[in-house]
Amino acid sequence: TQLLEQSPQFLSIQEGENLTVYCNSSSVFSSLQWYRQESGEGPVLLVTVVTGGEVKKLKRLTFQFGDARKDSSLHITAAQPGDTGLYLCAGPSYNTDKLIFGTGTRLQVFP
Amino acid sequence: DVKVTQSSRYLVKRTGEKVFLECVQDMDHENMFWYRQDPGLGLRLIYFSYDVKMKEKGDIPEGYSVSREKKERFSLILESASTNQTSMYLCASRRQGAMNTEAFFGQGTRLTVV
């Protein structure tokens, strides 16, 4: 079974701070996705990374796919309360359509 | 606006009851998924369907079954509910064949088994 481990599990910070969330696996993935889930809602896609070493930016969020395609990171610059939520990485299991998710990082940003 | 709709936001069932969780999508997606979400464990895949009447077990299928009689509808069945099945259940759909496509989720069903 392919596993996606995320760290940290919880993160509680003040508005304006920077943070990084990690998604790691012992397996190679053809691509990885990052989703954010807000309270009472289903997860929503933020970004997909497909090339080893790829960096994508979405406003204050920077996503990187590891060179070996076994890991990814999400960096948030100057976090805001609106960034609060559960961040999940996800990838296709053994290059199939079956999508597996990581263990999640719950982020709380205080004003 | 694309949509995945789960039939109930909250359910309370008794131990031993047969429970049906329904999910409908309007995007003509081939792939549909049922996940279970528990704190610290992320989303764990229960079952996956890639076509009508076709299904594959996920990582935690024990105690669950599924039904997909129509392309737009994917049902999760708890044959005999137990307290350890108290959880948030999320349904998702995704276009087939392109592994980078977005998964669309319903709002979830919070099931409590008492």
Side-chain angles (χ1 to χ4, degrees), chain B residues 33-55:
Chain B
F33 307 79
W34 274 107
Y35 294 92
R36 171 176 171 160
Q37 183 171 31
D38 299 289
L41 298 178
L43 272 62
R44 292 181 292 167
L45 182 63
I46 305 172
Y47 266 99
F48 160 56
S49 171
Y50 51 92
D51 202 348
V52 174
K53 297 189 188 293
M54 307 304 287
K55 62 187 179 186

Side-chain angles (χ1 to χ4, degrees), chain A residues 10 67-68 89:
Chain A
F10 298 101
D67 290 339
C89 63

Side-chain angles (χ1 to χ4, degrees), chain B residues 55-66:
Chain B
K55 62 187 179 186
E56 279 188 23
K57 292 181 180 178
D59 295 322
I60 52 165
E62 296 78 18
Y64 303 95
S65 62
V66 289

Side-chain angles (χ1 to χ4, degrees), chain A residues 9 31 33 37 40 97 99, chain B residues 9 35 37 40 96 100-101 103:
Chain A
Q9 186 175 348
S31 63
Q33 296 179 319
Q37 183 180 20
D97 280 343
L99 190 62
Chain B
R9 291 294 299 267
Y35 294 92
Q37 183 171 31
Q96 190 174 66
N100 302 330
T101 57

Side-chain angles (χ1 to χ4, degrees), chain A residues 12-79:
Chain A
S12 182
I13 62 172
Q14 292 293 130
E15 183 175 2
E17 291 185 34
N18 301 333
L19 66 116
T20 302
V21 174
Y22 300 94
C23 173
N24 294 290
S25 178
S26 58
S27 305
V28 174
F29 281 85
S30 57
S31 63
L32 281 178
Q33 296 179 319
W34 284 92
Y35 289 77
R36 179 170 67 206
Q37 183 180 20
E38 298 183 17
S39 181
E41 303 293 330
V44 175
L45 179 68
L46 295 173
V47 78
T48 302
V49 285
V50 297
T51 306
E54 180 178 5
V55 176
K56 277 191 174 179
K57 292 195 174 185
L58 189 67
K59 296 183 181 177
R60 293 176 294 99
L61 279 60
T62 302
F63 303 85
Q64 184 161 9
F65 200 11
D67 290 339
R69 291 187 287 124
K70 291 184 177 181
D71 58 89
S72 181
S73 63
L74 157 60
H75 181 79
I76 302 179
T77 303

